[in-house]
Amino acid sequence: MFLLFGKNKDHKQNGAEKKFRPLTAVLLVLTVVMAAGFYNSRKVILWETRRDGGADRIFSPAMVAEAEISENLKTKLGLDDLYRREDLAWRALKESPLVFGQPEASERVLEGDQAALPDLTENKFPFEAASSTDQGESASTSIVAEEVPVSQTTLPQLTDLGTALAKKSTPFRILIVGDSFMAIGGGLGDPLEKTLLSQKDTIVTRQGKVSSGLSRQNYFDWQALIKKMIEMHRPNVAVMMFGANDNGPVIDGNGKILASWGSVNWDARYREHIDQVMDLFKNADAEIFVVGVPIMKNQALARDIKHINSLFEQEAAKYPKAHYVSTWELLADQNGNYTDYILDNSGKKRLVRTADGVHLQYYAGYYVSEAIVSQMRNYLDLQPK
Amino acid sequence: MIFFTFGFLAFFAFVLALNWALKPWPLAWRIFLLAASYYFYTVWDWRLLVALIALSFANYWFGARIKKSFYGKKKFLLVLGVASNLLALGYFKYYDFFRLSAETILQKLGVAVNLPLLELMVTAGLSFYLFKMISFLADCYSGKIDRYPLLVDLALYFAFFPQLLSGPIARANDFLPQLENGGAKFIDRPYHYVSRLMAGLFKKLLIVNYLAVNITDDVFAVPQNHGSLVILLAVLAYALVIYFDFSSYTDMSIGFAGLMGFRSPENFNFPYGALTISEFWRKWHITLSDWVRDYIYIPLGGNRKGGLRRSFNLVIAMTAMGFWHGAQAHYIFWGILHGLALGLAAYSKNLINKIRKFFLGRFVLWFITFIFVLLSWIFFRVETVSDGFAMVKQLLSLQRLDESFKLYALVAIAVGYIFIALEQHIISFLAKAQEKMPLPVWFIFVAAAIALLFRAGSDTLPAFIYFNF
């Protein structure tokens, strides 16, 4: 024990660093743990409770407990407002175009379609710039073109803009939004984007956010982002996939818990969040494809996801232009149970899931993408290039 | 557990305190470190821990027998031991690749067979500790292990948690002596190790995440949407992403081990400043390169059997390196590319030595090496070899140069490369600056800096690329 609590000795030699007793290092690390945990208490709770793997049963809960105490302490000390402002400042910094770029980072303009997206920055009415590319386009798409008033000279409000823009038939301006399944590495987002880009007259914009969903607006405000993205990209087709991270409390943008998971009013509050997103797409007059989450390896999670999927399906049924696409059974075995492998066309078993039992291998990504696009063809005249 | 998570920090604080407190009782200290490492590993999957323990026992047995045996039996035991380790690697990491390949071949021969399936599991760390095991057996065979270690020491060498998931791949002769007599009594370079931890967190939480999310992932996901210039930017950014991702893990590994009183080997030494491809491999993932050199290249004959054989050996060694990264054609192709480049560089050694005498010559050598490394990263990152060729073709086509890109991307990439060039100086400066601080100021500085790094970093938890390998 003397090494830990013994007297410090200066072992500094020529050019070498000053050596110090190990107790200093122990105290330093403890200080770091306490300070980082206190300052980042919300991140601690998020990271240590919603991880795919690698979380332990002793130290992660200990840190969560410290974070919860920190949260209470901040409230007692009247620091909530200060932290809220600080949080807003960080968000503004992280979302600043100068720091992390603009959310349209994944904007796609295909060769030959450069003029398809009008310049919205100069207060032009969108169709003034887009009209030239409309000529000669195929009129065979199912989204019917209508007359557009051209007398406006200022940027219209979102609702008017979306309604007007969606009257364009082609190109299909497809907006894909979702959680980690749609982000890079989730296994579905980029295969779906590639599959849609292999169709004629498509412009695809994809935005995926790991660990996000519609239940925790304080963590990631999809409603706000989708609103912005509709303004920027004016989609006439939307593909959305949420739910895999949503089996928790429904929280509003201010961090207020609206309903705990499993409580009687959870469904109603969550439906409101679904409807907020659906309404945004509805106002933009977009054809909406709501993709359900596939079956999960963890049985408890699978049960939760099945329930959340059913809410999406029911809400989609309320909107005339919304269509629910189920992926549950696509990746289940013959008995409807979870499986890591499915049979390919040649009869060989192919690996479809990653080791976390949640995300998809790229083979599965293309497999599911084909199924989604196939269903989209029932409503859109998507033609392979 | 992942290094930069809060749960790991709490775990480390606990282990660090007991690590130093238990040193007066060396055996208890080593047993505690082994238990802590096993706990760290079992968090991923308890089956992995079972495999690690079983393989530790097996290698302890094989090593002891190899050391005691002579001639043919010694060689037989070595082959058997190495084969057992490779079998474990093949079973856990490559089983599905071999299953599909076998089924395809049998199908072509008219035999429809469905081989048994393996339940999926995370294999983090497996190939890293198997490398340690294979090198240990080879060192026993070649007489490099003087005193045969106790089981607990050998098991700790295989499982030591700061190095378990992604290296550095320490050698038994470097690690085992550090366990003698209770190990180090003081932390030899405390400010350096703390600086390495801060540098690792900075690289991982800020740089890697920013570049990957905002530049590389998007372009590599659907490259057909982008023109040559944007693809070039993405490739330049990916070279940064892979370097910062892996070197940040190494920084943290060295930092955590250092605070516990252990010295770890370095894994990187300014690799993008290499003048030749062979120099690049002496500076990139150094412990793996050394391992491949010592346990694949040299046993194949190395440079002892003529120029042509040497080049062939290099291609074989680098192909194995590519296959180690994954049983996909694009990794193997990446390995072959590097093998061929190394072979060519070996052939042109005299010419290269003449060129490098001149400043302009050194610049040309650096430029050629850097461009080659950049282009080869494309094949490392894509899903298929044909995707890689399509991307290279698009890059070289010089089309759609007018495609807009965000200026911040260019700035971020420039900052990344400047950081790499100055990295060692920055860490050294940081260490010296901390050394001058009074203790309370230093505590506040380190705690505030790390708390801020977490705050400024991504809201989501990113994973390390090399956990997949």
Side-chain angles (χ1 to χ4, degrees), chain B residues 28-29 33 108 130 156 180 208 301 318 322 330 400 463:
Chain B
W29 167 64
L33 283 185
K108 281 181 182 167
L130 279 167
L156 180 56
E180 288 171 9
V208 172
M318 293 309 292
H330 64 104
R400 290 173 58 197

Side-chain angles (χ1 to χ4, degrees), chain B residues 278 282 297 300-317 339 342-343 345-347 349:
Chain B
S278 44
R282 287 196 296 273
Y297 174 68
L300 281 172
N303 56 5
R304 302 186 302 274
K305 296 185 177 178
L308 195 65
R309 179 64 189 268
R310 177 188 189 174
S311 299
F312 175 77
N313 291 341
L314 283 166
V315 173
I316 295 293
L342 282 167
Y347 252 120
K349 197 176 176 183

Side-chain angles (χ1 to χ4, degrees), chain A residues 43 47 56 108 194 219 349, chain B residues 39 99 221 225 454 460:
Chain A
K43 194 175 269 188
W47 281 14
D56 72 301
R108 309 274 180 254
K194 283 179 182 168
Y219 165 60
K349 289 203 170 179
Chain B
Y39 177 78
R99 178 189 63 83
N225 282 327
F454 275 106
T460 52

Side-chain angles (χ1 to χ4, degrees), chain A residues 54-358:
Chain A
D56 72 301
R57 291 184 181 184
I58 299 173
F59 299 97
S60 289
M63 286 304 292
V64 172
E66 189 219 321
E68 283 168 351
I69 293 168
S70 302
E71 284 286 295
N72 290 333
L73 200 61
K74 286 173 191 173
T75 307
K76 277 184 187 168
L77 295 172
L79 296 172
D80 277 349
D81 193 48
L82 182 71
Y83 269 89
R84 193 180 59 78
R85 285 185 198 175
E86 187 258 359
D87 193 47
L88 287 174
W90 276 111
R91 273 202 210 180
L93 184 68
K94 288 180 182 180
E95 288 170 11
S96 162
L98 289 173
V99 181
F100 281 108
Q102 291 162 346
E104 82 276 29
S106 61
E107 178 176 294
R108 309 274 180 254
V109 181
L110 290 179
E111 216 168 339
D113 289 334
Q114 278 88 347
L117 291 176
D119 183 1
L120 292 177
T121 58
E122 296 176 14
N123 274 0
K124 285 178 184 171
F125 184 63
F127 288 126
E128 288 177 11
S131 57
S132 61
T133 57
D134 293 345
Q135 292 170 7
E137 282 177 346
S138 165
S140 59
T141 52
S142 62
I143 298 177
V144 182
E146 291 178 18
E147 285 289 322
V148 179
V150 290
S151 56
Q152 281 178 264
T153 53
T154 55
L155 193 65
Q157 292 300 305
L158 170 64
T159 309
D160 305 331
L161 176 68
T163 309
L165 287 166
K167 289 166 188 169
K168 258 169 70 71
S169 52
T170 57
F172 294 110
R173 294 180 303 276
I174 304 169
L175 174 61
I176 303 173
V177 288
D179 51 27
S180 56
F181 280 103
M182 291 306 188
I184 305 289
L188 181 57
D190 29 324
L192 180 61
E193 185 176 353
K194 283 179 182 168
T195 308
L196 286 168
L197 282 171
S198 67
Q199 312 297 309
K200 285 180 187 169
D201 293 322
T202 52
I203 298 169
V204 185
T205 306
R206 178 171 50 81
Q207 183 73 49
K209 174 72 179 174
V210 176
S211 298
S212 70
L214 298 184
S215 63
R216 291 165 298 131
Q217 213 171 349
N218 64 328
Y219 165 60
F220 195 77
D221 192 347
W222 270 110
Q223 289 87 329
L225 182 63
I226 288 171
K227 191 175 171 184
K228 267 190 207 170
M229 294 190 82
I230 290 173
E231 286 171 358
M232 284 176 189
H233 305 288
R234 306 169 313 285
N236 47 23
V237 180
V239 181
M240 55 185 268
M241 182 180 187
F242 295 106
N245 301 304
D246 285 346
N247 56 337
V250 178
I251 305 174
D252 71 8
N254 296 319
K256 186 183 170 189
I257 295 178
L258 303 174
S260 309
W261 172 247
S263 65
V264 283
N265 56 349
W266 192 91
D267 284 9
R269 296 284 87 82
Y270 191 69
R271 281 178 202 271
E272 285 170 10
H273 280 201
I274 297 174
D275 290 347
Q276 285 164 7
V277 171
M278 301 283 270
D279 286 340
L280 288 170
F281 288 129
K282 181 189 162 194
N283 291 338
D285 205 21
E287 205 77 23
I288 311 165
F289 295 89
V290 182
V291 180
V293 178
I295 189 168
M296 298 283 154
K297 187 175 192 176
N298 180 297
Q299 290 188 355
L301 180 61
R303 192 179 55 237
D304 295 348
I305 295 300
K306 198 165 194 176
H307 176 68
I308 292 170
N309 276 347
S310 72
L311 298 184
F312 275 101
E313 189 170 8
Q314 288 160 23
E315 292 313 293
K318 293 179 187 169
Y319 292 78
K321 296 182 86 170
H323 319 284
Y324 182 77
V325 184
S326 176
T327 62
W328 187 271
E329 57 287 340
L330 281 176
L331 298 178
D333 67 12
Q334 289 170 332
N335 302 318
N337 298 320
Y338 175 89
T339 176
D340 283 329
Y341 300 86
I342 58 171
L343 287 174
D344 68 8
N345 292 335
S346 63
K348 285 201 285 286
K349 289 203 170 179
R350 298 293 297 262
L351 192 57
V352 286
R353 305 303 283 260
T354 54
D356 59 14
V358 175

Side-chain angles (χ1 to χ4, degrees), chain B residues 344-372:
Chain B
L344 191 66
Y347 252 120
S348 322
K349 197 176 176 183
N350 291 338
L351 180 66
I352 289 170
N353 284 339
K354 280 178 190 168
I355 294 173
R356 71 188 307 161
K357 286 176 184 165
F358 307 100
F359 176 77
L360 190 63
R362 285 198 295 278
F363 176 78
V364 169
L365 285 175
W366 167 80
F367 186 74
I368 292 170
T369 304
F370 184 63
I371 294 296
F372 171 78

